[in-house]
Amino acid sequence: KLAASAVTTAKVADDAVTTAKLFTENLGRRNLFINGDMQIAQRGTSIAMAHDGNTSKYLIDRFTMALGGTHEQLDGTYAQVAEHPLSNGLAKSLKWTTGTAESSYDADEYVYFAQVIEARNLQHLNFGTVNAKSVTMSFYVKSSITGTFAVGIYKEDSPARIFNKTYTISSANTWEKKVITFAGDTAGGGIANDSGRGFYVNWHLAAGANAKGGGSTSGWKNYGGLSDWADGQATNAVMTTAGATWQMTLCQMEVGDTSTDFEHRSFGEELLLCKRYFHTYGGTNAFEHLPFLGQGNSSSINFNHELPVEMRATPSLTQSGDWRVNDGYLGSYYTLS
């Protein structure tokens, strides 16, 4: 039997639990973006983009770049680089470098980076209802070009909806943190609860006259076509200046109207999240990275392969280079091109 004096109660101090402490110390999974710190780049660390070559490509996982319209001269490089606003140079950022500049920017031309967030990961935003929640974006940006740039959310499900806002790069070649809040969309339709595209988050680098001016900077509206796409974009100099650069990292989107410190997930966890959408195998050594088992004959080989995670959709397979296959029964090797 416990003596009465053996049982005591403790009072939690009034300031021991606060909203700020919950966000910065306890809550995880705040960031709706995957790979927001640009650490994962399964496809490589650099890719050439050009008006007559690659015009829409992923490089850094979950971040695609697109050159829209009919650029006549433009080319440049999309890369993962070891430059970062807060670290000693070991962390990563996304970087665009213009090679051949576009001599003049035509009305139908536009360039943007985007991350598409899967619809199932957005259900808690309650879009299309009176309970729709605001989201706050934060990211670091650095560019050799100053001026006003557009960033926006585009929801593809019917009715298609869009909301753009702007931010200003004030100092050339200087990392700047931007924080932008988007109100929840109460009036538009909801986001389907499936594995499709929930919405695009677009960072615009340039836009011709046809791609801006549609009124999508005033709030959520039904998407009316190209004129709404990059509304608010006020400079095209990144694409019309040879050697111009634009960089970004530490991208976060979280529920609410408050920006919190970037949510760092482990490299392994972030990699698995990326592999739901894409994964690759390969190596410089012919004996490395052969994750297939199968059987065959003189004219064909059937492979079986277990995917590392369940993918968003039925995957397609693209082969690059030669495969060297070990015949365990005969003890010989075959090269497949």
Side-chain angles (χ1 to χ4, degrees):
K1 181 178 180 180
L2 291 176
S5 60
V7 180
T8 61
T9 59
K11 180 181 178 182
V12 178
D14 291 340
D15 62 349
V17 179
T18 65
T19 300
K21 288 182 178 180
L22 284 172
F23 275 114
T24 59
E25 296 175 12
N26 298 318
L27 292 185
R29 295 292 190 183
R30 301 188 311 277
N31 196 355
L32 294 173
F33 291 134
I34 295 174
N35 198 30
D37 56 357
M38 313 297 171
Q39 289 281 73
I40 313 297
Q42 297 182 79
R43 299 165 177 84
T45 58
S46 181
I47 188 170
M49 304 288 290
H51 70 97
D52 57 353
N54 293 317
T55 59
S56 181
K57 282 289 183 179
Y58 281 91
L59 177 72
I60 295 173
D61 280 65
R62 307 306 306 135
F63 287 89
T64 186
M65 184 180 190
L67 315 181
T70 54
H71 292 88
E72 287 85 13
Q73 296 89 27
L74 182 65
D75 63 43
T77 303
Y78 168 18
Q80 180 201 51
V81 297
E83 297 178 45
H84 195 271
L86 304 179
S87 80
N88 61 2
L90 299 178
K92 307 297 184 182
S93 61
L94 172 159
K95 185 174 185 178
W96 164 261
T97 303
T98 301
T100 304
E102 192 74 354
S103 60
S104 63
Y105 222 71
D106 295 338
D108 70 330
E109 297 172 348
Y110 54 97
V111 177
Y112 65 95
F113 282 99
Q115 179 160 149
V116 183
I117 301 179
E118 187 174 335
R120 286 199 179 111
N121 295 333
L122 297 174
Q123 295 307 302
H124 60 307
L125 299 186
N126 301 324
F127 273 28
T129 76
V130 295
N131 300 312
K133 297 177 182 178
S134 299
V135 290
T136 295
M137 285 180 60
S138 57
F139 57 96
Y140 281 85
V141 64
K142 174 183 176 182
S143 178
S144 63
I145 302 299
T146 59
T148 299
F149 293 76
V151 60
I153 300 175
Y154 167 68
K155 180 184 76 72
E156 193 174 57
D157 283 339
S158 180
R161 302 276 282 175
I162 193 166
F163 187 1
N164 284 318
K165 285 196 167 186
T166 61
Y167 66 93
T168 300
I169 295 177
S170 303
S171 301
N173 302 311
T174 303
W175 284 109
E176 299 175 358
K177 185 177 182 179
K178 306 301 176 183
V179 177
I180 302 168
T181 297
F182 294 85
D185 185 9
T186 59
I191 299 172
N193 189 9
D194 58 24
S195 61
R197 294 182 287 267
F199 57 55
Y200 292 70
V201 181
N202 302 312
W203 291 263
H204 299 283
L205 274 64
N210 290 352
K212 57 188 178 181
S216 59
T217 57
S218 300
W220 285 101
K221 61 167 290 186
N222 287 348
Y223 180 63
L226 183 60
S227 64
D228 290 326
W229 183 246
D231 201 21
Q233 181 71 21
T235 178
N236 298 323
V238 172
M239 298 302 154
T240 59
T241 306
T245 59
W246 188 92
Q247 293 175 248
M248 179 174 68
T249 194
L250 294 179
C251 299
Q252 180 151 290
M253 175 174 277
E254 53 197 309
V255 176
D257 57 6
T258 301
S259 171
T260 65
D261 289 345
F262 183 79
E263 178 189 0
H264 287 279
R265 295 189 280 252
S266 72
F267 184 90
E269 183 179 6
E270 205 79 64
L271 179 60
L272 283 179
L273 291 174
C274 291
K275 284 181 179 291
R276 175 167 171 78
Y277 305 92
F278 173 85
H279 64 270
T280 185
Y281 298 96
T284 57
N285 188 312
F287 295 94
E288 292 179 341
H289 307 296
L290 295 177
F292 301 96
L293 295 174
Q295 60 183 359
N297 52 41
S298 60
S299 60
S300 66
I301 298 177
N302 295 318
F303 292 104
N304 296 314
H305 171 54
E306 183 176 351
L307 298 170
V309 296
E310 182 176 344
M311 302 195 75
R312 181 191 67 84
T314 302
S316 59
L317 175 65
T318 301
Q319 179 214 338
S320 175
D322 295 334
W323 291 4
R324 192 174 185 188
V325 180
N326 177 19
D327 186 330
Y329 182 74
L330 296 177
S332 56
Y333 293 90
Y334 303 92
T335 298
L336 305 179
S337 298

